[in-house]
Amino acid sequence: MLTDTQVSQFEADHGIRLPEEFWWFVTRIGHGGYGPACGLLPMERWICRGAAKRGERLDQPFPVDPDLEVPTSLDMHDGIVGSCPGTIQVADGGCTTYTLLVVTGSGRGRLVEDYGDLAAPRYCADSDFLSWYERWLDFVLAGHRSLTSFSHQMAGDEDRLVATLRHDPSTARRRAAAYTFITYPGPSDMLVGSLLQALAAEPHPAVRETILRALAAQDEDDPELPTAALADPHPRIRSLAAGMVDSRTPNVHSGHSPR
C-alpha cells in the first residue's frame, strides 16, 4: 500500500487530485499486483512513457468524451489515437495496451483502454475504479471461460445483461453486454433465443457483429442460427455469419460434422 503522504506528494507534483475510489484503493487495499491482464501497475509506472515527449500532462483534460457513441463504420481506427493526457496507467494489458484512469476531464474517474497508435482509446463500461476491479474479481470467481475480453465487457447477471442488450439507449453499453455473453459461464437455455431476438432488432452494426460472436460462443449445433445475418448490409458481418454457417453445416462427404 502507499501512504497518504506518498499519494499527496504525487498529486502535488502533477497538479491533480486522484479520483477518490482509486485513492482509497492504493492507500487502504493495495498498490500494484493482482488484477486484469498483466496486473496493476505501481506508482512509478503510472505516467505514460511517451507522455512527456508529446507534451502531455496529467492536469490537461483527457480529450475523449465518455458518452461518445461507437462508430458505425466498424473501423477500429476511428477517433483520437496515440494521445492520452489527463490519465494515468493503472494496468498493463500487454502488447503496448494499457488500462488508463482518467484524472482530468469529463471522464474523470472512468477507466479507458489505450491501444497506442493502433486504435482509438475506448471507455470501459464500469463507473469507477472500484467497480472495474470488483468486476474483475467477480469474473474470476464466476469462472468466465476467458478473461481476454474483460475490458470490453460489463457487470451483471444474464437477465440484466439481456435487458441492457435489448433496451439500453447506449450503443457502447449494448455492445458491452453482448461481449459479456462471449465468455459468460453457465448460460441458460433461453440465452440463444434472447440473443437472436436482440440481433433481429439491433440497429447498430458493431453491436450486431458482437451479438453474432456471442452466438458463436454458445456452441449451438443449429446451422440456421446466423443465417439472417447473411443479408446484413455490412460485409464484415456477412462474412462472420457465412463462417458460422459453414462451421455448423454437416460434412456431406464424410457423413459427420466437421467439429
Side-chain angles (χ1 to χ4, degrees):
M1 292 184 293
L2 297 173
T3 66
D4 294 357
T5 300
Q6 286 175 303
V7 176
S8 296
Q9 186 62 57
F10 179 89
E11 293 176 327
D13 289 344
H14 296 281
I16 55 119
R17 289 285 294 172
L18 293 175
E20 184 176 4
E21 297 84 3
F22 185 70
W23 189 93
W24 279 105
F25 185 90
V26 297
T27 59
R28 301 296 186 270
I29 298 176
H31 167 230
Y34 184 69
C38 300
L40 301 180
L41 295 172
M43 179 187 282
E44 56 267 26
R45 293 191 59 192
W46 286 356
I47 305 299
C48 174
R49 293 177 182 176
K53 294 181 180 179
R54 296 192 294 265
E56 298 171 359
R57 303 193 313 270
L58 297 191
D59 61 352
Q60 295 174 323
F62 181 59
V64 182
D65 186 340
D67 296 321
L68 189 67
E69 287 296 334
V70 177
T72 57
S73 66
L74 294 177
D75 185 352
M76 289 187 65
H77 295 271
D78 282 340
I80 301 169
V81 299
S83 177
C84 295
T87 65
I88 61 173
Q89 297 177 158
V90 296
D92 183 352
C95 298
T96 70
T97 298
Y98 291 91
T99 301
L100 312 177
L101 176 65
V102 181
V103 298
T104 307
S106 60
R108 174 178 162 79
R110 294 281 300 277
L111 282 299
V112 172
E113 287 300 299
D114 173 31
Y115 304 99
D117 294 331
L118 299 177
R122 182 187 48 74
Y123 278 90
C124 297
D126 314 279
S127 60
D128 54 48
F129 178 86
L130 289 181
S131 298
W132 174 82
Y133 193 73
E134 184 177 11
R135 178 167 66 88
W136 164 258
L137 297 177
D138 288 343
F139 276 27
V140 172
L141 293 173
H144 271 254
R145 296 193 294 271
S146 170
L147 294 173
T148 57
S149 297
F150 172 78
S151 64
H152 299 276
Q153 299 172 324
M154 67 187 304
D157 59 18
E158 183 174 318
D159 289 343
R160 179 180 173 187
L161 292 169
V162 167
T164 299
L165 183 57
R166 296 286 303 278
H167 305 298
D168 199 293
S170 166
T171 302
R173 286 182 57 80
R174 294 199 308 275
R175 186 167 65 167
Y179 253 114
T180 308
F181 285 126
I182 294 175
T183 64
Y184 194 79
S188 74
D189 294 338
M190 304 294 291
L191 179 58
V192 168
S194 297
L195 291 175
L196 287 170
Q197 290 176 349
L199 179 63
E202 177 55 51
H204 200 289
V207 183
R208 293 199 302 274
E209 180 185 13
T210 309
I211 295 172
L212 271 180
R213 297 188 184 281
L215 281 166
Q218 304 313 309
D219 198 29
E220 291 290 316
D221 293 325
D222 185 353
E224 300 299 319
L225 285 182
T227 53
L230 292 172
D232 196 280
H234 284 263
R236 203 161 86 188
I237 297 177
R238 295 197 301 270
S239 177
L240 176 59
M244 291 173 62
V245 170
D246 183 65
S247 68
R248 296 164 191 269
T249 302
N251 187 327
V252 296
H253 298 289
S254 61
H256 58 77
S257 169
R259 295 186 302 159

